[in-house]
Amino acid sequence: PDTSIMETITLKPRKEESILRHHHWVFSGAIANLPDDIEEGELVNVVASDGRVLGAGHFQIGSIAVRLLQFGDSPLPDDFFRMRLESAFRLRKTLGLIRPDNNCFRLVHGEGDFLPGLVIDIYGDTAVVQAHSPGMHFERLKIADALTQMPDARIRNVYYKSETTLPYKAQLDPQNDYLIGHFDGNIATENGLRFNIDWLRGQKTGFFVDQRENRALLEKYACGRNVLNMFCYTGGFSVYAMRGGALKVDSVDSSAKAAALTDANIELNFPGDPRHATHAVDAFKFLAEMPKDAYDLIILDPPAFAKHRSALKNGLIGYRKLNSKAFEKIKSGGVLFTFSCSQVVTREMFRLAVFTAAAQSGRKVRILHQLTQPADHPVDISHPEGEYLKGLVLYVE
Ligand code: SAH
């Protein structure tokens, strides 16, 4: 883009400080003037009140007015996306995630990869791209091209899936579809286990790659245990528990579609194995009706109970109630894997909710592990909001 024709957004005095610390967001309240003809999704220059150019980013209508792609006063290079994607790919290589027995990982985690508004998950030779900002929506073809041009990455298909992630008010009417390539199989491998990834109909990009390492940890605890995987979705934890030598594994999800995905993934890895059963029922109903001591390894990985700050109080009550049920029913000597993926729930709040449930249950509870999101979901230190997944592994006597 020719920066000489770029619109300029000027900030109010002293509002440049967070940007100088490389925070990617410009809030609308920090802006002194907005050009009349500015359009949603446009690439803009952001300038301090003294005229200093602070960076360039995508403009958006809303409380986050600009998501900065680059800091400083140099123009955005033409190969910006290629460079950022290659750097993201190099990091995943460094992390050891690209191996014959592992071909699914997150390539781009928004601000954590200096690409605010963009999420990309890789499943074998298919990339699933989600734009969270109008700016990234407009760049989607450039992004798709850059993805398929990275020689080492061997990405042949790019599926764009932003129908539910773009701001509804922007009226961009994005269609979920292939930008490059086409459907040519959807089985990906994670730590040697195979998964059907349903990016066409599934939630998010089709699979929760963020639980990979926590699933691998669970596998180590599974031997000889009776496992209950609550909110199983694609059955990730269940498949690892099976490989870990669980005596039996019950997977629960209220969605019949999720239950079918779990069945398919068990069948793919452990065909006809009688140790596994799926239950398409509500988690709270299942927990209320199940007998005590039936399970000595329980996973609670619910959807975000607090999607916004306004839902925080009820969300925390939800976590407390859910965990109370598990403490009430888990067998003595049992291990509980409990998670929250709500970004607005801090690690401390989650601990407090879980520990309150533990205290009320009267069980003796010890912390074995404190879990988080894996390294392919990096958190930029200037953008702590990028941290969202929290987990605790507890030993319950
Ligand atoms: N643990 C999964 C991800 C869970 S996503 C993994 O590792 O991939 C959350 C899941 O909870 C979704 O599949 C959703 O269908 C399910 N869910 C939401 N509300 C539920 C409820 N009340 N009871 C049971 N499942 C529920």
Side-chain angles (χ1 to χ4, degrees), residues 235-257:
F237 283 104
S238 306
V239 175
Y240 279 76
M242 295 285 282
R243 187 169 68 178
L247 289 181
K248 83 170 180 156
V249 180
D250 283 318
S251 302
V252 176
D253 201 292
S254 55
S255 146
K257 254 184 350 195

Side-chain angles (χ1 to χ4, degrees), residues 211 218 227-232 237 252 283-284 286-287 290 297-303 305 318-327 330 335-341 350 354 357 389-392 394:
Q211 289 286 24
L218 176 99
V227 181
L228 174 61
N229 180 12
M230 281 299 191
F231 311 94
C232 62
F237 283 104
V252 176
F284 286 91
F286 190 94
L287 285 166
M290 75 188 206
L297 181 52
I298 298 180
I299 301 119
L300 301 175
D301 183 25
F305 282 168
Y319 288 116
R320 180 169 53 71
K321 286 195 170 156
L322 177 65
N323 283 278
S324 287
K325 277 286 164 220
F327 288 124
I330 196 168
V335 176
L336 173 65
F337 277 62
T338 182
F339 297 95
S340 163
C341 61
F350 180 59
V354 174
L389 185 62
K390 302 150 286 283
L392 291 165
L394 303 170

Side-chain angles (χ1 to χ4, degrees), residues 5-236:
I5 58 162
M6 269 167 69
E7 297 281 6
T8 293
I9 287 180
T10 307
L11 301 188
K12 293 177 184 163
R14 288 182 309 283
K15 290 295 183 187
E16 71 279 10
E17 278 158 21
S18 70
I19 299 175
L20 292 172
R21 289 194 305 270
H22 286 194
H23 192 273
H24 286 273
W25 296 347
V26 177
F27 291 98
S28 56
I31 293 175
N33 84 304
L34 258 192
D36 294 337
D37 51 351
I38 193 162
E39 283 179 33
E40 185 137 48
E42 230 182 296
L43 189 64
V44 297
N45 274 321
V46 176
V47 170
S49 55
D50 62 6
R52 189 156 43 133
V53 180
L54 300 167
H58 288 142
F59 171 70
Q60 176 169 351
I61 297 166
S63 96
I64 304 170
V66 183
R67 290 163 198 257
L68 287 160
L69 301 178
Q70 178 179 271
F71 299 97
D73 60 1
S74 50
L76 210 66
D78 285 340
D79 58 354
F80 170 79
F81 283 105
R82 187 178 62 78
M83 286 184 356
R84 286 284 153 93
L85 292 174
E86 277 181 358
S87 137
F89 188 74
R90 270 196 304 279
L91 174 58
R92 275 59 184 180
K93 256 179 147 167
T94 304
L95 299 176
L97 289 174
I98 302 160
R99 313 186 305 263
D101 68 336
N102 195 86
N103 65 6
C104 59
F105 55 91
R106 176 154 292 192
L107 175 66
V108 173
H109 185 58
E111 287 80 1
D113 285 288
F114 311 128
L115 287 166
L118 186 65
V119 165
I120 304 178
D121 285 338
I122 305 293
Y123 302 112
D125 53 15
T126 299
V128 181
V129 174
Q130 283 193 322
H132 290 256
S133 69
M136 286 298 181
H137 172 69
F138 293 132
E139 309 271 24
R140 64 195 182 283
L141 294 177
K142 239 190 245 176
I143 293 165
D145 272 338
L147 277 170
T148 50
Q149 279 161 25
M150 289 194 294
D152 293 3
R154 300 205 189 89
I155 294 164
R156 289 191 299 169
N157 312 301
V158 179
Y159 186 70
Y160 186 61
K161 192 177 186 194
S162 304
E163 278 177 7
T164 56
T165 56
L166 282 165
Y168 174 72
K169 281 191 205 129
Q171 293 187 314
L172 299 166
D173 194 23
Q175 305 288 314
N176 288 349
D177 205 354
Y178 287 92
L179 299 176
I180 294 181
H182 51 82
F183 180 87
D184 71 349
N186 66 332
I187 293 177
T189 307
E190 184 185 88
N191 289 324
L193 293 164
R194 302 201 306 145
F195 291 94
N196 293 284
I197 317 284
D198 190 358
W199 49 79
L200 300 181
R201 285 167 298 268
Q203 301 175 49
K204 306 272 169 92
T205 67
F207 192 59
F208 286 91
V209 283
D210 58 1
Q211 289 286 24
R212 179 185 49 249
E213 265 134 62
N214 302 331
R215 292 194 270 255
L217 179 66
L218 176 99
E219 180 177 356
K220 298 188 196 161
Y221 281 95
C223 191
R225 290 192 183 259
N226 291 312
V227 181
L228 174 61
N229 180 12
M230 281 299 191
F231 311 94
C232 62
Y233 185 33
T234 57

